Amino acid sequence: MVSATVGAAGLPVSAVVSALLDALPGVRVDSGLTTSQEAILWSIRLPRAVLSMLVGAALGMAGAAYQGVFRNPLADPYLLGVSSGAGLGATLAIVVGGAMGSAMVPPAAFVGGMIAVMATYTLGRSVGGGRTEVVIILAGVAVAAFASAIQTFFMQRNDETLRQVYSWMLGRLTTSGWSEVLTVLPYVLVSVAVIALFRRTLDVMAVGDVEASTLGIAPARVRLVLISVATLGTAAVVSVSGLIGFVGIVIPHAVRMVIGPGHRLLLPLSLLVGASFLVLADIVARTAVSPAELPIGVVTAAIGAPFFLFVLRRSRGLI
């Protein structure tokens, strides 16, 4: 509701409520909004709020899943090179795509993120031995560095596109109606549903691979499934929102500090709090320097970095 009413063109709360009620089947309420206000509400404000919720929910739940899979409180959705692969894909689309570059960014970023994670997992599994999750993380660092190097090369050779590339990399939630929402919704739903099915398995994985195996869990298979679906959701939302940092690491930690480590509550609450957090961060991004707009990645970093330092201090005896 706050997202729908706050902005350069302020909309009355009562009118927005009436417009939402009027959209329900069999309900007729006169909202009193003008044609232009109706367009702002239904074509700009609400799609952006819903997109913010989807991105925040996907990143928050993926972060909780990654932290559970790797038994690492500092894991986040970008751990395995999703961000670098997506950034490379987006950069190539902008540099090579020409006039069609902007339209090619989302699919290119999605494909780049997925390829990077597949390369990371394949490399980690091939040399992992008995410490698979540790080696996968190290492989992610290597793949991310390689993708970033290629991205930097193309950016240096095509400096006229730097502004567009950096605009995407700093995160943005601008929408052209509901198309972005409909694009990422199926991926987010699949990712969230599958992760939720493994909520009890993640609690068992916390005791270690050997102990989990004796309890009937196949750690390697569970890790592959959860990494795949968490990455699917992350790559999908990153393809339309750009790189929005700290949500996947801050939100699960904040929830865990309140309700404890059990994934039965941690996963759904990470989803809800992540969605709410990103909607509020987007409101700040839209209004802090109005009529200009801050990149939402700047807002989440300004909030997330101090919290991250707090988490490091609090967890220094556990890491």
Side-chain angles (χ1 to χ4, degrees):
M1 185 58 65
V2 174
S3 182
T5 55
V6 172
L11 302 178
V13 175
S14 59
V16 171
V17 172
S18 298
L20 294 175
L21 291 174
D22 189 54
L24 297 175
V27 179
R28 291 294 174 266
V29 180
D30 183 12
S31 66
L33 295 175
T34 65
T35 303
S36 60
Q37 289 176 325
E38 288 272 3
I40 290 171
L41 176 64
W42 291 104
S43 299
I44 300 176
R45 296 275 177 83
L46 288 180
R48 183 161 180 162
V50 174
L51 182 63
S52 301
M53 292 172 64
L54 289 174
V55 174
L59 293 178
M61 199 163 187
Y66 273 119
Q67 290 170 16
V69 163
F70 291 106
R71 301 195 298 277
N72 186 337
L74 302 183
D76 80 337
Y78 299 148
L79 180 71
L80 304 185
V82 180
S83 60
S84 298
L88 175 58
T91 300
L92 291 176
I94 293 169
V95 169
V96 178
M100 293 293 293
S102 296
M104 292 170 60
V105 166
F110 178 80
V111 172
M114 294 299 293
I115 290 175
V117 173
M118 286 190 289
T120 295
Y121 191 81
T122 301
L123 179 61
R125 287 286 295 169
S126 65
V127 299
R131 295 176 57 80
T132 302
E133 68 259 15
V134 176
V135 178
I136 288 176
I137 293 174
L138 295 176
V141 173
V143 170
F146 182 72
S148 295
I150 299 176
Q151 181 185 11
T152 302
F153 171 78
F154 279 101
M155 290 169 63
Q156 186 181 33
R157 301 276 294 187
N158 301 270
D159 55 5
E160 71 279 0
T161 64
L162 285 179
R163 184 179 182 88
Q164 191 176 355
V165 171
Y166 277 118
S167 175
W168 184 87
M169 290 178 64
L170 290 173
R172 77 281 188 276
L173 289 168
T174 53
T175 61
S176 54
W178 294 91
S179 58
E180 289 86 355
V181 173
L182 296 177
T183 298
V184 304
L185 182 61
Y187 299 100
V188 174
L189 289 178
V190 170
S191 176
V192 166
V194 175
I195 292 173
L197 290 176
F198 283 85
R199 60 192 183 278
R200 297 187 186 279
T201 306
L202 281 170
D203 288 334
V204 178
M205 293 277 287
V207 301
D209 286 5
V210 175
E211 292 81 357
S213 298
T214 63
L215 296 173
I217 303 296
R221 187 180 307 161
V222 171
R223 190 173 292 115
L224 174 61
V225 170
L226 287 176
I227 288 175
S228 299
V229 296
T231 300
L232 178 70
T234 300
V237 297
V238 164
S239 71
V240 298
S241 71
L243 306 181
I244 300 177
F246 288 99
V247 177
I249 191 170
V250 166
I251 297 304
H253 266 298
V255 174
R256 191 180 290 110
M257 289 166 60
V258 176
I259 59 98
H263 289 86
R264 186 176 63 86
L265 290 177
L266 178 63
L267 290 175
L269 287 178
S270 294
L271 181 147
L272 293 173
V273 177
S276 303
F277 171 77
L278 206 60
V279 171
L280 294 175
D282 183 51
I283 294 170
V284 174
R286 290 192 286 113
T287 58
V289 293
S290 181
E293 183 174 317
L294 284 173
I296 191 169
V298 173
V299 177
T300 58
I303 299 172
F307 185 87
F308 183 67
L309 294 174
F310 168 74
V311 168
L312 282 177
R313 181 176 178 83
R314 180 185 176 92
S315 306
R316 63 185 184 276
L318 302 176
I319 298 174

